[in-house]
Amino acid sequence: MKFLITAGPTREAIDPVRYLSNRSSGKMGYALAKAALEEGHEVSLISGPVSLSTPGSANLVCIESAREMFDAVKTRINEADVAIFCAAVSDYRVADIAAEKIKKNNDELLLKLVKNPDILGSARQEFGFTGILVGFAAETENIEANAKGKLERKGCDFLVANDVSRSDIGFDHDSNEAVIYAKDGSETRLKLASKEDIARQIIERIR
Ligand code: C5P
């Protein structure tokens, strides 16, 4: 099967030297790419800036901003049988990116932010994707309700939810603990394990 996987953070430029981003390391998405390759699948990995080496023979597409990730996904998603959206996409970008480095002349600096496109949320209707769609949800509260809401709203077959309020798992850690909610109402609990192990179990569930 052909997999499309998004991974890592996005960067939203403020000026030529500064940006807004988040704490995603990309480890979970890269582990998913590795696990899919190990099962003999083809993988396109659409990645924000990370410090990880490319897993094996993955076809790596490097992007920076959410809008670049949107375009990269849009042009490739319909070649895929399975699309997994693991990237931590910035919800907002700076409305007007300064052409020159912003000087610290004032005591206050106001940045106006505008909403980025929801890439996962565009998969079904806007991109017309009919394959298996997998989303992730990193939550700090009401994990189950939020995850089930996203599963439904974004037209996913599976939604993998994890608790990022915990300091021992999730963002930038090597281990994770998660629950896979499926469209058919079933739940698969993945116990604390390395991101490699969690990735193998997710790929197995999708299969
Ligand atoms: O940010 P949120 O919790 O809604 O993210 C849930 C899922 O949606 C994740 O799989 C994430 O990769 C995806 N997403 C996306 N584009 C966005 C925001 C989130 O693809 N702009």
Side-chain angles (χ1 to χ4, degrees):
M1 287 195 293
K2 289 188 179 171
F3 279 65
L4 175 142
I5 300 173
T6 72
T10 63
R11 276 184 188 170
E12 309 301 328
I14 298 171
D15 68 15
V17 297
R18 304 184 179 95
Y19 56 80
L20 297 173
S21 192
N22 60 63
R23 291 172 51 202
S24 170
S25 63
K27 285 176 186 167
M28 194 63 236
Y30 276 57
L32 285 162
K34 187 162 168 260
L37 288 168
E38 277 170 8
E39 280 207 359
H41 304 296
E42 262 178 60
V43 176
S44 284
L45 180 58
I46 301 176
S47 176
V50 297
S51 331
L52 299 169
S53 47
T54 311
S57 56
N59 167 28
L60 182 69
V61 181
C62 294
I63 55 83
E64 288 219 344
S65 69
R67 286 198 292 181
E68 287 168 10
M69 183 172 275
F70 182 93
D71 291 340
V73 169
K74 187 177 180 176
T75 55
R76 291 170 182 82
I77 192 165
N78 287 315
E79 293 159 16
D81 304 297
V82 180
I84 309 179
F85 287 74
C86 194
V89 182
S90 302
D91 291 325
Y92 294 90
R93 68 178 180 277
V94 176
D96 301 299
I97 302 170
E100 306 297 338
K101 186 180 169 192
I102 299 169
K103 297 289 180 197
K104 50 177 177 299
N105 295 335
N106 300 314
D107 288 340
E108 281 189 355
L109 173 69
L110 288 177
L111 287 178
K112 183 179 172 192
L113 305 181
V114 292
K115 211 155 192 193
N116 268 328
D118 183 348
I119 311 171
L120 173 60
S122 305
R124 292 294 189 211
Q125 293 207 345
E126 184 161 352
F127 304 157
F129 180 63
T130 54
I132 295 172
L133 188 61
V134 186
F136 270 69
E139 304 287 354
T140 56
E141 57 182 358
N142 301 329
I143 298 170
E144 181 168 352
N146 279 321
K148 287 181 173 170
K150 266 175 209 171
L151 176 84
E152 171 95 32
R153 267 198 320 279
K154 303 197 183 200
C156 295
D157 296 291
F158 299 102
L159 200 295
V160 184
N162 61 294
D163 181 350
V164 289
S165 68
R166 283 175 53 175
S167 56
D168 56 333
I169 56 169
F171 274 137
D172 208 23
H173 281 278
D174 291 325
S175 49
N176 210 353
E177 192 179 297
V179 182
I180 308 175
Y181 296 95
K183 198 168 84 176
D184 66 9
S186 67
E187 295 176 13
T188 311
R189 284 178 192 277
L190 309 177
K191 286 189 296 190
L192 183 63
S194 68
K195 284 185 176 168
E196 271 74 27
D197 268 353
I198 297 280
R200 270 184 231 113
Q201 294 178 72
I202 292 169
I203 300 295
E204 195 176 308
R205 180 72 183 86
I206 292 168
R207 182 164 34 78

